[in-house]
Amino acid sequence: MGSFSLMHWLVFGVIAILVLGGGRFSNMMGDVAKGIKNFKKGMAEEDESATKAAPSRIDAKRDADVVLDPAPERARDDR
């Protein structure tokens, strides 16, 4: 009893377009699309800055495994 059928929504949409005008409706949808794009761009920038700020545990483990031993270089210089 309280829900609208597809036909009700179509009639409502047509009336809304007639009242608001086609150009106004398309401008409004364009503004919504721009807002969504800006939101996604902001989320992507936030993710990039978060990954740059905190190195992962894998990188820390790889860097800890590197051991520099100057002994082989000294052996070559002594010859």
Side-chain angles (χ1 to χ4, degrees):
M1 182 172 160
S3 79
F4 292 106
S5 68
L6 180 61
M7 187 56 108
H8 286 107
W9 285 112
L10 289 175
V11 170
F12 178 76
V14 169
I15 292 172
I17 290 174
L18 289 174
V19 170
L20 296 175
R24 196 173 194 188
F25 185 74
S26 67
N27 289 342
M28 185 173 56
M29 291 284 88
D31 291 341
V32 169
K34 286 178 186 176
I36 291 171
K37 285 182 183 179
N38 287 334
F39 176 76
K40 287 182 178 180
K41 183 179 177 183
M43 292 300 289
E45 289 174 357
E46 183 177 307
D47 289 343
E48 289 174 3
S49 65
T51 57
K52 289 179 183 177
S56 66
R57 292 186 66 178
I58 295 170
D59 291 337
K61 184 174 181 347
R62 185 190 68 208
D63 292 342
D65 291 341
V66 175
V67 178
L68 298 177
D69 186 16
E73 290 181 18
R74 274 191 255 137
R76 276 189 255 149
D77 291 338
D78 292 338
R79 290 186 200 175

